Amino acid sequence: MNRNDTLAALRERPDIAVLVIGGGINGISVFRELALQGVDIVLAEKGDYCSGASAALSRMVHGGLRYLENGEFKLVRESLAERDRLLRNAPHYVAPLPTTVPIFDTFSGIANGAVRFLGLTRRPSRRGALVIKAGLTLYDLFTSARRLMPTHRFRGRAETLRTWPAINPAIRSSATYYDAWVSRPERLGLEMLFDAMAASPSACALNYASVASTDAGIALTNGLTGEVLPIRPTLIINATGGWIDLTNKAIGASAPLMMGGTKGSHLIVDNAELHGALGGHMVYYENEDGRICILFPYLGKVLIGSTDIRVDNPDEVRCEDDERRYILQSLAFVFPAITVAEEQIVFSFSGVRPLPASDDSFTGRIPRDHFCEFVEANGHLPATLCMIGGKWTTFRSFGAMAADMVLARLGLARSKGTEDLAIGGGRDFPENPETWCAALAERHGLSVERACSLFERYGTSAEQFAEPSTMLSRSDYAAAEIRLMIEREQAECLADLFLRRTTIAISGGLSLALIDAVLAILAAHKGWDAARAAAEHAAFLALLAHQHGVTLSDLSKTNDKRSALCA
């Protein structure tokens, strides 16, 4: 169903079994789980799908090596199992990532790790080779029954410097192990959402739809028109992450404070020297204050992060200047001879980790695990299940946990699992992608290069986007791709298209000409007049500047420079 169909159905039949509030990765996960059981379910997201914390992850799919220090062995084991499932179920977006840890000491961190393990408050000291060896040995042990990637290995100082000549020469050794990364987390979330709706006619979802209490009960407000629709769910799932407490207040749920999120900011850098210095690896390192940082090749650029700062208002989160300085300072520690210029930062992003409320003075000690709590019915408000905590890697198992609790409350039985369920373009994934792409190119009259580009973006769903079409200005996206996203993927504004349906913004591919070209397609489809289109243009440029550190002058200078280089 399209948006109008969904709204019409809710007007005619406001009684539903389950309302999921929150269209991030966890909300989509529990929505998919329940839709596959045939539950009458509606998902409402006040912004766009995967536009909050689910768009601001470090792009890692990992077990959480550092969580071992906190004694979170169950979480690490679960995360590694979910990582391996994603490697199988979403191979178009999730891939192995060799990860190297620079080591500057041998014995450092042993006593500190013991103190942290015992639950005493103390900031970490630098981890030495023995501590890292112990952690990686556990990592390998947890995955020994389903070995998908190589076990860890250590390198001495001489071999490390030969392999990474630009690394800090004070290094003693290094350790390499394998985790994974996700190229397009927002699209993976969308594919799960659309898979669920395709599988179940009783499941529907709306973005730009907020939920609040009224005198008569619960109402959904269409954020695009202002229309208010009363709805009567039997049960509510609050899957709004860092916004859980705010959502409980908005719907009238009487619950104690549940969340204590922290902010994590990241930079995307266009620096060829740094990209080359990584040698295809993620470098997982400690800053001088003991904070874990990462950098790895991402869509032709380098992703560097992150910070870990307590926040009170998740709606005001962005990467601040002091965070930029901190991240670049951490880079200077591990690659001291490489300098990143301000204009080489092509994008920044920040999100709120949905951590449970905690008074721990050190944010790194707050548990990263997930759990659910019911807030019982009160007046017109039905019972509400709150999904608390979690990390991106474990969204499937978290969604399954929440769904099982809901099914038990509704007196229903599970009929289908998702452990081995392929996602979107990960279905029927070919053993030989080159052969598959060559066949796609032949069927649709495309160049093999174009077919490979579509396959990288959409996996086997590339077939849907393979219509020959004019390429957009200064872009490797085609006009037909954008039109399909608008028509089929509930894209309502420029931010939806540039920040979530595509990777154009995060990979530094924006230009004023491209923005104008996409806006023309969007405005024609929506029937916008010149004034409405101009307002959308201005709003998007303001969002880029405020939230992502990309200003109009940056766009002009960056793309003029690239044009000159290409010429």
Side-chain angles (χ1 to χ4, degrees):
M1 294 193 295
N2 61 30
R3 185 180 186 86
N4 289 334
D5 292 337
T6 299
L7 290 166
L10 288 175
R11 290 187 201 101
E12 293 177 8
R13 192 175 62 84
D15 294 289
I16 57 176
V18 178
L19 170 66
V20 178
I21 307 176
I25 196 68
N26 289 328
I28 290 173
S29 178
V30 70
F31 174 83
R32 180 179 70 148
E33 294 282 342
L34 291 171
L36 291 173
Q37 317 314 315
V39 174
D40 178 24
I41 188 169
V42 173
L43 182 147
E45 162 57 45
K46 71 173 183 177
D48 188 26
Y49 307 118
C50 291
S51 60
S54 299
L57 67 154
S58 295
R59 267 59 183 170
M60 294 168 60
V61 178
H62 65 123
L65 182 62
R66 73 180 182 87
Y67 305 152
L68 294 172
E69 275 188 327
N70 289 350
E72 296 183 88
F73 300 116
K74 175 181 174 293
L75 173 63
V76 174
R77 188 188 294 271
E78 178 184 354
S79 299
L80 288 170
E82 292 302 316
R83 179 201 70 182
D84 291 349
R85 288 188 175 109
L86 281 167
L87 286 166
R88 295 192 303 267
N89 295 334
H92 55 319
Y93 293 148
V94 180
L97 178 64
T99 301
T100 293
V101 184
I103 303 171
F104 296 90
D105 299 285
T106 301
F107 301 102
S108 176
I110 295 177
N112 183 260
V115 169
R116 284 167 57 79
F117 182 78
L118 291 171
L120 305 177
T121 57
R122 181 175 165 191
R123 289 178 178 270
S125 62
R126 191 168 301 285
R127 288 103 173 153
L130 293 181
V131 170
I132 292 168
K133 178 69 175 178
L136 292 179
T137 299
L138 281 173
Y139 233 57
D140 290 342
L141 179 64
F142 288 161
T143 57
S144 59
R146 53 172 196 284
R147 182 73 61 210
L148 298 183
M149 295 181 286
T151 56
H152 78 275
R153 61 166 294 198
F154 271 69
R155 293 179 175 87
R157 181 175 186 274
E159 186 183 357
T160 299
L161 290 173
R162 284 195 302 271
T163 308
W164 294 278
I167 209 161
N168 189 330
I171 198 167
R172 295 274 188 91
S173 59
S174 65
T176 296
Y177 68 102
Y178 279 77
D179 256 325
W181 71 293
V182 55
S183 59
R184 294 162 173 83
E186 301 91 345
R187 287 208 63 86
L188 189 145
L190 282 170
E191 287 186 353
M192 288 170 55
L193 186 76
F194 299 143
D195 284 353
M197 289 191 286
S200 174
S202 61
C204 60
L206 282 170
N207 54 356
Y208 299 101
S210 59
V211 178
S213 63
T214 67
D215 292 340
I218 297 294
L220 182 150
T221 299
N222 181 352
L224 303 182
T225 66
E227 180 187 8
V228 177
L229 286 78
I231 50 177
R232 292 186 293 272
T234 301
L235 191 145
I236 294 174
I237 300 175
N238 182 348
T240 56
W243 289 261
I244 276 181
D245 293 325
L246 297 174
T247 301
N248 280 339
K249 182 178 180 181
I251 63 176
S254 300
L257 292 179
M258 297 178 173
M259 300 304 300
T262 66
K263 176 172 68 164
S265 294
H266 303 76
L267 305 179
I268 303 294
V269 169
D270 187 3
N271 183 299
E273 183 183 10
L274 179 60
H275 190 278
L278 294 173
H281 282 228
M282 179 171 82
V283 176
Y284 182 84
Y285 64 100
E286 294 171 308
N287 199 2
E288 291 174 298
D289 63 358
R291 164 84 187 143
I292 295 292
C293 299
I294 61 165
L295 65 154
F296 68 95
Y298 180 73
L299 302 179
K301 306 299 187 294
V302 177
L303 185 152
I304 316 174
S306 70
T307 56
D308 195 8
I309 302 168
R310 286 189 180 273
V311 293
D312 295 322
N313 187 347
D315 288 317
E316 295 180 356
V317 165
R318 65 172 185 165
C319 181
E320 304 290 351
D321 290 342
D322 60 337
E323 293 178 275
R324 285 191 176 209
R325 289 192 294 270
Y326 175 87
I327 292 171
L328 294 181
Q329 173 268 320
S330 77
L331 172 64
F333 172 74
V334 72
F335 286 112
I338 298 177
T339 301
V340 173
E342 184 68 25
E343 62 270 16
Q344 291 177 322
I345 302 173
V346 298
F347 195 79
S348 63
F349 60 94
S350 188
V352 178
R353 300 177 182 91
L355 305 180
S358 170
D359 58 2
D360 200 302
S361 60
F362 179 51
T363 56
R365 281 196 52 82
I366 301 174
R368 262 52 177 178
D369 208 348
H370 52 256
F371 58 95
C372 298
E373 287 189 5
F374 269 110
V375 179
E376 295 304 331
N378 178 23
H380 296 296
L381 183 72
T384 300
L385 181 73
C386 297
M387 299 178 68
I388 303 164
K391 56 198 287 283
W392 196 91
T393 304
T394 56
F395 68 77
R396 192 213 62 83
S397 57
F398 193 11
M401 170 198 289
D404 287 340
M405 293 177 69
V406 168
L407 290 170
R409 179 65 70 106
L410 297 176
L412 301 173
R414 175 180 283 274
S415 60
K416 187 171 186 178
T418 53
E419 293 88 345
D420 301 310
L421 186 63
I423 298 170
R427 282 190 292 272
D428 302 318
F429 202 76
E431 291 187 12
N432 189 327
E434 291 184 6
T435 301
W436 193 93
C437 290
L440 179 71
E442 184 175 355
R443 284 195 301 274
H444 294 278
L446 306 174
S447 69
V448 174
E449 180 184 18
R450 171 68 176 156
C452 288
S453 179
L454 291 173
F455 181 76
E456 179 185 353
R457 286 176 196 157
Y458 312 111
T460 54
S461 297
E463 193 85 46
Q464 303 170 21
F465 293 88
E467 172 190 341
S469 176
T470 303
M471 302 304 291
L472 294 170
S473 174
R474 293 179 177 176
S475 172
D476 60 351
Y477 278 81
E481 283 179 85
I482 300 299
R483 280 197 298 271
L484 283 172
M485 291 171 191
I486 297 168
E487 292 170 0
R488 301 179 182 177
E489 297 184 351
Q490 300 186 26
E492 301 294 342
C493 62
L494 287 174
D496 296 348
L497 293 164
F498 283 119
L499 298 178
R500 290 173 286 278
R501 305 301 184 279
T502 73
T503 56
I504 293 172
I506 197 171
S507 61
L510 285 168
S511 70
L512 291 175
L514 180 57
I515 291 172
D516 288 341
V518 170
L519 178 57
I521 299 170
L522 180 62
H525 181 83
K526 300 293 184 185
W528 292 346
D529 60 19
R532 176 65 183 85
E536 176 63 22
H537 187 273
F540 180 58
L541 292 183
L543 174 70
L544 286 175
H546 185 264
Q547 291 296 124
H548 302 292
V550 180
T551 67
L552 179 61
S553 58
D554 287 338
L555 290 171
S556 303
K557 290 177 183 176
T558 300
N559 288 285
D560 286 347
K561 186 184 294 184
R562 289 191 183 132
S563 297
L565 290 172
C566 292

